[in-house]
Amino acid sequence: MTLWTAAAIAAATGGVAHGDFAVDGVAFDSREVGPGDLFVALKGEATDGHRFVDKAFAQGAGGAIVSEAVAHPHVLVADTAAALDALAQAARARTAARIVGVTGSVGKTGTKEALFAALDRAGPGGAHRSVKSYNNHVGVPLSLARMPADARFGVFEMGMNHAGELAALTRIVRPHVAIVTAIAPAHSAFFADEVAIADAKGEIFGGLEPGGTAIVPHDSPHRDRLIAAARPHAARIVTFGQDAAADVHVREAVRTERGTLVSARIGAAELTFTIALPGDHWVSNALAVLAAVQAVDGDLAAAGLALADMAGLPGRGERRRVPVNGGEALVIDESYNANPASMKATIALLGQERAARRIAVLGEMRELGDLSPAYHAALADMLAAADVDYALLVGAEMAPLAKALEGRIDFAHVAAADAARDPLFGRIAPGDAVLIKGSNAVGLARLVEALAAGSAVTDAATCSI
């Protein structure tokens, strides 16, 4: 089904069509352009998308949005970034889909993916969501522009690292339901304190459509502040959490070999289901998902089945068995993101793994400001409580943790991800469980790729910890 025609793009953006074309996808990264896609040639500080127009068409692009004339079918506009925003707004205006916006310091990508799976389970092909972590001032409009006109549901992740960013994004998305997953000290270098982070996350409620629903974490110390932010905009406020006072809460949760078996109360309804992904944080994410499914009149039973089938995302909890020295080791890939709250959750999960040894490869947590040394040093107690046998610390900001670990557990500290390969591959052995977690900019995903490719060859003589 055609997503956009040249005429529709020109009408939405105020541009001029040169050539008649139709597209069924949208991309602003030429490396991601596929047959029949619309390429948006954005101009940034480091590069200009117009340099890659020929490449995009060589890969099968059906048309382009440009601010300079090109020798391919295109719509000519004054500003391609503004045109992408306009196309997103046109996509939002033409749809009858129920729209859900998701934000939070932790858990927003996983919750977005789980909610998409839950809604799509009941009517395959009817749900749309933002891909990857396209959650900023460019990624959100791109995700909206990609939404088919006949979608029944749209799920959009929205992120921020400065006040005011979510206010702008939520005005574009205009959600019927807005979720805040949790508040934690992420990007705290840009905020005075956690209260300021809560206020910035609460901006998502300002874009709610009339009659909309706000979904708020009941167990958060910032619950009342978030409710106050939602009250002027939401017709209904729903809380979720472990506490029985929450509108959506756990009645019982039991960990099994298949995940966590949960009995939950969702308003007047009850549902018993399994969450395939381990950890208390996933129980919390699932409650937010169920609250949203109910708010958009979705199928709760189908949502439960989807949660049972959920697999971890690359960089965000994906679990892989990788070949090591004639056997296998478990790699838990959390290489995309890290902050104090997510570190606590994933290190605790590592401690629950049945393994010959537990190894933690931890990259520094970025954007924590003046409290960075204290947040990093605090990980020492978590590693000890999880009975971690060996910790490999990556990055200069890990120095306080290295000092705190002295005399407690075996560890090594290296300056960068490229220097982590030998210390890790020299230790890992069959039966080990290896957590790899750090801020995305640290580059630990390369370690995961090398392990998955079978590059870790260990020598039994060098594997003692």
Side-chain angles (χ1 to χ4, degrees):
M1 182 175 178
T2 297
L3 182 64
W4 295 103
T5 63
I9 295 168
T13 63
V16 178
H18 293 264
D20 187 20
F21 61 87
V23 296
D24 52 21
V26 185
F28 58 65
D29 185 336
S30 61
R31 295 167 296 185
E32 296 182 358
V33 171
D37 281 350
L38 174 70
F39 176 59
V40 184
L42 297 178
K43 291 185 176 182
E45 294 180 3
T47 189
D48 182 349
H50 292 80
R51 293 170 48 202
F52 306 101
V53 169
D54 288 342
K55 176 184 176 184
F57 278 92
Q59 292 176 193
I65 294 178
V66 295
S67 57
E68 302 168 8
V70 297
H72 302 282
H74 65 276
V75 172
L76 187 65
V77 299
D79 183 323
T80 52
L84 179 59
D85 284 350
L87 196 64
Q89 290 164 3
R92 180 65 184 88
R94 73 182 182 180
T95 186
R98 300 286 287 171
I99 305 296
V100 183
V102 182
T103 194
S105 301
V106 292
K108 55 184 176 289
T109 300
T111 299
K112 177 258 297 181
E113 290 292 327
L115 180 54
F116 165 78
L119 295 171
D120 202 56
R121 183 70 173 246
H128 171 79
R129 93 291 205 184
S130 48
V131 299
K132 300 183 180 178
S133 289
Y134 282 173
N135 62 19
N136 64 7
H137 66 286
V138 178
V140 170
L142 175 74
S143 299
L144 265 170
R146 288 173 165 176
M147 183 168 63
D150 63 348
R152 293 181 59 230
F153 301 104
V155 186
F156 297 93
E157 177 182 341
M158 289 180 268
M160 62 88 199
N161 57 18
H162 289 84
E165 288 182 87
L166 272 176
L169 293 177
T170 194
R171 286 195 295 269
I172 297 173
V173 175
R174 290 166 39 214
H176 298 99
V177 178
I179 302 171
V180 175
T181 58
I183 304 298
H187 308 300
S188 55
F190 306 115
F191 295 94
D193 51 30
E194 210 170 274
V195 170
I197 295 173
D199 288 342
K201 294 297 184 183
E203 291 173 10
I204 192 174
F205 302 128
L208 276 169
E209 288 286 271
T213 300
I215 297 177
V216 172
H218 181 278
D219 303 333
S220 170
H222 308 289
R223 175 196 63 210
D224 293 343
R225 198 171 191 90
L226 290 170
I227 288 174
R231 192 169 286 122
H233 311 286
R236 185 166 177 248
I237 298 173
V238 176
T239 60
F240 68 94
Q242 299 280 351
D243 195 305
D247 299 310
V248 179
H249 63 265
V250 173
R251 299 195 64 176
E252 187 175 12
V254 179
R255 187 175 183 187
T256 71
E257 291 185 0
R258 295 182 56 203
T260 305
L261 181 64
V262 178
S263 176
R265 168 76 71 172
I266 308 107
E270 284 193 29
L271 184 69
T272 298
F273 60 99
T274 296
I275 306 170
L277 294 167
D280 290 342
H281 61 295
W282 261 107
V283 174
S284 179
N285 291 347
L287 295 175
V289 166
L290 295 176
V293 169
Q294 186 178 66
V296 297
D297 297 322
D299 187 327
L300 287 173
L305 293 174
L307 289 166
D309 290 341
M310 277 288 292
L313 304 171
R316 299 179 181 275
E318 184 177 52
R319 300 162 74 86
R320 305 187 189 188
R321 293 283 175 182
V322 301
V324 175
N325 197 32
E328 287 186 332
L330 170 66
V331 173
I332 304 169
D333 177 14
E334 289 275 0
S335 59
Y336 188 83
N337 202 357
N339 57 53
S342 63
M343 279 286 197
K344 179 179 180 180
T346 51
I347 291 172
L349 274 179
L350 178 62
Q352 296 170 12
E353 290 295 334
R354 296 178 181 177
R357 299 171 308 177
R358 302 182 183 95
I359 297 174
V361 182
L362 303 182
E364 60 192 11
M365 300 178 285
R366 302 280 178 88
E367 299 181 352
L368 292 179
D370 294 340
L371 293 176
S372 178
Y375 281 130
H376 283 87
L379 300 179
D381 289 340
M382 301 176 199
L383 292 167
D387 291 326
V388 170
D389 297 283
Y390 174 65
L392 177 55
L393 315 180
V394 183
E397 292 186 61
M398 278 293 180
L401 175 56
K403 184 173 180 61
L405 286 177
E406 290 177 359
R408 300 185 69 178
I409 68 172
D410 195 7
F411 74 93
H413 183 199
V414 298
D418 290 344
R421 182 181 175 118
D422 289 345
L424 175 61
F425 290 4
R427 295 276 187 163
I428 190 171
D432 290 345
V434 184
L435 168 65
I436 300 180
K437 185 169 182 64
S439 291
N440 188 44
V442 178
L444 294 182
R446 295 192 296 273
L447 278 180
V448 177
E449 292 167 3
L451 286 166
S455 300
V457 179
T458 61
D459 184 324
T462 65
C463 288
S464 61
I465 292 180

